[in-house]
Amino acid sequence: MTMIKLFYFKRIWGIPDLSPFTVKVETYLRMVNLPYELIEGHVLKGPKGKLPYIEDQGLKISDSSFIIDYLKQTYHDPLDQNLTLQQKTSLIAMQRLLEDHFYWIGAYYRWFSSDKNWQIYKQALFGHLPVIIRDPVAITCKKKIIGRQLYAQGISRHLPNEILQLGQLDLDCISNFLSDKTYMLGKHPTSLDACAFGMLINLIQCPIDTPLKQYALSKPNLVNYCHHMMNFFFQISSKNKKNLVCLLNFNIVINDIQNQNILFLLSACEL
């Protein structure tokens, strides 16, 4: 078996990646024990102009869902193959809630909730750039790319209290769906857990303090779920430390992105 190459964005804040979609793919790879190599990515080299993407057997596959579909078809499907029709339906429905609605609320809070939070996120994304161009690039990305995406999607057309209300309803749904189970669909992990963990850890563990984060922290089952997922799936053997960042109880060795093309920051990516 060839080593799968996973092109990711950035390790920071004690989480696997700033992008919940990259966390999703890496978590899935770990769940099914597929060997992979992490490589700092460049969206312009991806087949769809975004991160994450993988290279495997001469192919480039982009979009986290299509990546996982490819991995299932190529290397079998040990997580989801025995799910009932009802479970498969629940998986798709929850994934749509997480990725097509809840994700956009999280993006709004990272980019537009307050100047304090924006400064934190700006430093994480653009801090490696030369000072003279850092702010112009960050502002251009914020207004002309992310701002337009959020408006087109519809989230930023709402009032702040309405956005919070929508996010709280999503978290209520996710928490109620998880209930007291170990994983989203029961005793055993499925691909839905890779998706849910990517979204939740990027809210709960990031240093951007928002009413939505505080609401998530008020849900003990969601907090415990994130701790369990991190501790269970991100324990790394010493032989893999060369290519993987060792995560243990949310302590991280951070690899900063260096010498990235500015266009990288001005391209559409799954962040």
Side-chain angles (χ1 to χ4, degrees):
M1 180 185 298
T2 59
M3 180 77 73
I4 297 167
K5 295 180 180 179
L6 172 60
F7 294 83
Y8 73 112
F9 184 72
K10 189 173 187 178
R11 298 280 203 194
I12 198 170
W13 300 339
I15 61 178
D17 198 272
L18 277 174
S19 165
F21 298 98
T22 305
V23 178
K24 171 186 171 183
V25 174
E26 185 176 5
T27 303
Y28 181 84
L29 287 166
R30 288 167 179 261
M31 284 176 164
V32 297
N33 295 313
L34 285 174
Y36 68 97
E37 176 185 5
L38 281 175
I39 300 174
E40 292 178 355
H42 194 308
V43 295
L44 296 183
K45 295 181 179 180
K48 295 184 179 178
K50 61 181 181 180
L51 295 176
Y53 69 94
I54 66 168
E55 286 186 4
D56 185 47
Q57 302 183 48
L59 299 174
K60 288 184 179 181
I61 302 97
S62 185
D63 187 278
S64 59
S65 292
F66 288 120
I67 291 171
I68 290 177
D69 285 346
Y70 165 82
L71 295 173
K72 288 179 178 180
Q73 294 169 14
T74 306
Y75 300 105
H76 305 297
D77 183 16
L79 300 182
D80 300 344
Q81 63 181 350
N82 294 321
L83 295 180
T84 66
L85 181 61
Q86 183 178 12
Q87 287 176 320
K88 291 179 180 178
T89 302
S90 296
L91 188 157
I92 293 173
M94 286 301 298
Q95 183 176 321
R96 295 292 185 268
L97 180 148
L98 287 159
E99 297 184 348
D100 295 340
H101 191 263
F102 186 68
Y103 161 75
W104 292 103
I105 296 173
Y108 163 82
Y109 275 106
R110 285 191 174 191
W111 290 88
F112 293 99
S113 61
S114 71
D115 183 67
K116 179 181 179 181
N117 287 333
W118 163 238
Q119 295 304 321
I120 294 172
Y121 198 49
K122 181 175 71 173
Q123 178 60 32
L125 281 177
F126 307 102
H128 66 284
L129 292 177
V131 175
I132 193 171
I133 63 170
R134 186 179 303 156
D135 281 349
V137 170
I139 292 171
T140 299
C141 187
K142 179 180 181 181
K143 292 183 176 180
K144 293 189 176 182
I145 297 179
I146 305 301
R148 290 176 180 176
Q149 290 177 350
L150 290 172
Y151 188 81
Q153 193 278 340
I155 286 296
S156 66
R157 301 179 191 227
H158 302 308
L159 296 173
N161 65 302
E162 294 173 331
I163 296 172
L164 175 60
Q165 180 182 354
L166 292 172
Q168 289 174 332
L169 287 172
D170 284 353
L171 286 170
D172 285 342
C173 182
I174 299 165
S175 177
N176 292 337
F177 185 83
L178 175 63
S179 187
D180 60 353
K181 301 190 297 293
T182 303
Y183 298 103
M184 284 290 165
L185 290 176
K187 297 180 180 180
H188 305 289
T190 66
S191 62
L192 176 58
D193 292 291
C195 170
F197 174 63
M199 293 293 166
L200 292 171
I201 198 67
N202 264 279
L203 174 65
I204 288 174
Q205 182 60 19
C206 79
I208 296 174
D209 193 18
T210 68
L212 187 66
K213 176 182 177 180
Q214 293 305 315
Y215 194 75
L217 290 173
S218 74
K219 305 284 188 181
N221 66 334
L222 297 185
V223 175
N224 291 336
Y225 174 80
C226 286
H227 277 272
H228 169 74
M229 291 292 293
M230 179 68 84
N231 289 330
F232 194 82
F233 291 107
F234 284 85
Q235 303 297 318
I236 305 172
S237 63
S238 58
K239 68 179 181 180
N240 290 326
K241 289 182 179 179
K242 181 177 181 180
N243 294 323
L244 302 178
V245 176
C246 183
L247 293 168
L248 181 59
N249 296 326
F250 298 113
N251 292 319
I252 192 169
V253 177
I254 299 173
N255 290 328
D256 290 324
I257 295 176
Q258 300 293 334
N259 301 320
Q260 292 285 356
N261 190 311
I262 295 173
L263 290 175
F264 168 76
L265 301 168
L266 297 179
S267 300
C269 57
E270 291 183 336
L271 283 177

